[in-house]
């Protein structure tokens, strides 16, 4: 069903997390890159802090009591499709995101909002291939018609979700105030090693944990964690009764505010922005070339996304949904099929990322 309020407010959280991380640290919130480097690269603590936040997001949704007001995460869809389909999708998504230098977070939420030519092309390619894949190789799940019908929503629910968004805003302001006081450099002009030490300190990791947690909650609130909802969005009409336009609201709640904030930063800094935290560096990609590798990687990613409706961020947060279900007393017999499918997806996603890294090292 069409959930414009929930998805818009969830999109706002995705904006807050991605833009907040950029403003504080100068880093782009690209989940596939974070996961790949956490597993096979520098294994930096800040990457694992983001991942921990993504996993904890669903638990926070249930803890603060907003679960009844968000779109159904439809964890059962992990059992409605075969582990083999998830394994294939995971491998394609891992390989494609690494080859194409990003996924829906790095390219769509962050790159498109900066009007990056590479991200605009990559997003167009993986969205087109995902739509075609969902059309011609549909997942064996039923979208209850009419999917575009407006979902009932209460004023109490709106206030609860809006209060959650404002809570993350308040937490961010507190972090921005306290962290610089807790991690002062030991020398007037810290070198790279000292800056890394500060970033990797418990206080320095606070903004990364906040970014991952707010993004994870935003995924649940917007419905992007639901493969059923994503597949409903990718099934462009006709027929109209299988199309769910909800995720279009992510553009209004996430991408548009990101663009306004980014270009506001650029104007204020005369094109030379610096991170709010002085020990961090501005690391926004500046490449503008469109090459075959980018297009091929985006196309491969799109096929994987269209097969199952799950990209890296929602897949990671799904672990939190599984943990919540277990904590709420769902039996292991019921959890095991979904966990098997999830494990097949994650394992092959990591294998796909490693395959590209291995090929690149051989070529280099």
């Amino acid at each position: 069903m069409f959930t414009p309020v929930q998805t818009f407010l969830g999109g706002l959280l995705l904006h807050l997390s991605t833009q907040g991380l950029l403003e504080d640290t100068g880093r782009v919130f690209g989940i596939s890159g974070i996961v790949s480097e956490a597993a096979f690269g520098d294994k930096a603590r800040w990457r694992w802090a983001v991942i921990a936040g993504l996993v904890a997001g669903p638990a926070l949704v249930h803890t603060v009591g907003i679960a009844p007001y968000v779109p159904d995460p439809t964890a059962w869809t992990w059992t409605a499709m075969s582990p083999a389909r998830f394994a294939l999708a995971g491998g394609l998504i891992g390989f494609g995101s690494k080859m194409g230098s990003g996924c829906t977070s790095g390219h769509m939420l962050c790159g498109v909002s900066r009007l990056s030519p590479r991200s605009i092309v990559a997003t167009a390619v993986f969205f087109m291939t995902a739509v075609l894949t969902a059309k011609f190789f549909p997942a064996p799940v039923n979208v209850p018609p009419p999917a575009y019908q407006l979902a009932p929503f209460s004023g109490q629910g709106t206030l609860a979700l809006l209060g959650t968004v404002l809570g993350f805003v308040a937490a961010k302001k507190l972090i921005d105030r306290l962290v610089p006081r807790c991690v002062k450099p030991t020398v007037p002009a810290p070198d790279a090693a000292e800056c890394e030490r500060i970033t990797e300190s418990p206080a320095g990791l606070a903004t990364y944990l906040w970014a991952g947690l707010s993004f994870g909650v935003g995924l649940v609130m917007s419905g992007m964690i639901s493969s059923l909802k994503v597949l409903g969005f990718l099934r462009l009409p006709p027929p109209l009764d299988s199309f769910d336009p909800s995720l279009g609201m992510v553009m209004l709640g996430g991408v548009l505010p990101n663009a306004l904030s980014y270009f506001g930063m650029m104007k204020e800094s005369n094109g030379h922005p610096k991170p709010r935290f002085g020990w961090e560096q501005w690391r926004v990609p500046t490449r503008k070339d469109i090459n075959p590798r980018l297009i091929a990687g985006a196309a491969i990613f799109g096929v994987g996304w269209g097969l199952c409706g799950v990209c890296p961020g929602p897949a990671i947060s799904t672990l939190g949904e599984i943990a919540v279900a277990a904590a709420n007393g769902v039996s292991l017999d019921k959890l095991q099929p979904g966990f098997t499918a999830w494990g097949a997806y994650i394992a092959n996603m990591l294998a796909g990322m490693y395959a590209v890294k291995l090929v690149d090292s051989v070529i280099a």
Side-chain angles (χ1 to χ4, degrees), residues 177-229:
R177 180 182 293 271
L178 294 181
V179 168
R181 299 180 181 180
C182 297
V183 291
K184 294 180 179 179
T186 57
V187 293
D191 57 13
E194 175 70 359
C195 290
E196 182 179 359
R197 183 195 68 78
I198 296 173
T199 297
E200 298 287 271
S201 68
L205 294 174
T207 192
Y208 294 101
L209 181 61
W210 171 89
L213 188 60
S214 56
F215 198 94
V217 174
L219 289 175
V220 178
M221 194 183 294
S222 66
M224 284 195 70
I225 196 174
S226 166
S227 58
L228 185 62
K229 203 161 188 64

Side-chain angles (χ1 to χ4, degrees), residues 278-316:
W279 57 88
E280 298 281 9
Q281 299 177 20
W282 192 254
R283 299 176 175 87
V284 175
T286 58
R287 288 181 60 182
K288 297 182 179 180
D289 59 305
I290 311 297
N291 55 28
R293 176 186 173 116
L294 175 76
I295 295 173
I300 293 170
F301 172 86
V303 173
W305 192 31
L307 281 174
C308 67
V310 182
C311 53
I316 294 171

